Structure formats: C-alpha cells, structure tokens
Amino acid sequence: MKISELSDQTGVSMRSLRYYEERGLIQPKRLDNGYRDYDKSILEQVKTIRLYFNLGLSTDEIKEIVDCDPFVFPYEQLICNDVMELYQNKLVEVEHQINTLKDVKSRLKNRIKKVEELRETMDRSKANDESK
C-alpha cells in the first residue's frame, strides 16, 4: 500500500511515517520507481509505535523495543535485557506520576473544601450583619 493509504488507515500523518522510517522504526519496501510500499504487517507496527508514543516513550526507547521485543515485531531474537529494564523503569515512572496526580487531586479537594467553608462562613457573617 502507498504511504497515503497507511496514513489513512492508521491516523498517523505521512510526515510521521517518514520520520518512523528515518529512525528505523518501520522499514517499507521500495518499488522500482522509488515509492515506498507498505505491507499489511506494518499497519500493526505503526499502531504499536503510536501506543508507545502515547505511553510517553521516546523514539530511542521505542527503537530499543522494535529491535528486541518479539511480541511487538516479528524478530527471531528473544527480548533484550535492556528492553525489560526500559519497561520496568517506565512502570516506575508511571507509578510515580500516578502518585503525584493523586496528591494533586487530594490537595485540590482540600482547597475546594476550604474555599467552600470560607464562603459559608462569609455568607453567614453577611446574613448576621444584615439582620442587625
């Protein structure tokens, strides 16, 4: 398939697909006229690459996975130790982000509660002043 078809089917821009190729994340065949030819297996590869970008992985980190993880791309080599370390480090980072967000959520809830209490106090005070 042509790059425009791959772009349409994956929702990834042609510019991004060219970048993926430049970085070695995908490897289309070249036709005699120089055009890129993508087979159907690249569809899933591109979707997986997008998933990893959405998870916050860098291009270099994705490249490590592409080169080593047989569950992501059909390579004969077993998963590399570096990829396992990358997965573990990313998991720690995600857990840290979750904890940070939980802390922010708790602080926001407390702040909202304090502002509401202050408003109620001010409303009561204002009502008392008006009744005098």
Side-chain angles (χ1 to χ4, degrees):
M1 81 182 79
K2 294 178 183 176
I3 192 169
S4 60
E5 294 170 302
L6 182 62
S7 177
D8 289 343
Q9 291 185 33
T10 60
V12 175
S13 71
M14 291 188 289
R15 182 177 178 191
S16 292
L17 292 170
R18 289 185 193 101
Y19 175 75
Y20 295 174
E21 180 184 0
E22 178 184 308
R23 297 300 303 217
L25 301 177
I26 59 174
Q27 297 166 348
K29 296 173 187 150
R30 289 286 182 158
L31 301 175
D32 291 338
N33 60 6
Y35 286 24
R36 294 169 180 87
D37 183 39
Y38 298 93
D39 62 36
K40 292 191 183 229
S41 69
I42 290 183
L43 276 171
E44 287 307 312
Q45 290 176 354
V46 170
K47 289 177 184 177
T48 301
I49 290 166
R50 288 302 318 154
L51 170 69
Y52 282 125
F53 275 125
N54 290 336
L55 291 174
L57 294 167
S58 69
T59 304
D60 291 336
E61 290 169 329
I62 295 170
K63 177 74 172 128
E64 286 182 45
I65 295 169
V66 168
D67 288 343
C68 298
D69 190 341
F71 297 107
V72 177
F73 298 98
Y75 291 95
E76 296 174 11
Q77 179 178 346
L78 291 176
I79 195 164
C80 299
N81 290 333
D82 291 345
V83 171
M84 270 307 282
E85 186 178 335
L86 174 70
Y87 285 160
Q88 291 166 338
N89 290 340
K90 194 55 156 176
L91 181 59
V92 168
E93 182 182 322
V94 167
E95 287 172 347
H96 176 72
Q97 291 172 342
I98 289 170
N99 289 333
T100 299
L101 288 172
K102 284 181 179 178
D103 183 50
V104 168
K105 179 181 176 181
S106 175
R107 289 173 187 237
L108 284 170
K109 282 183 170 185
N110 287 336
R111 190 70 180 154
I112 289 168
K113 182 180 176 184
K114 287 180 181 181
V115 168
E116 287 173 344
E117 289 171 356
L118 181 60
R119 281 183 176 168
E120 287 175 14
T121 302
M122 291 175 69
D123 288 345
R124 273 182 278 179
S125 177
K126 186 177 179 182
N128 286 339
D129 288 345
E130 289 175 357
S131 66
K132 291 182 183 181

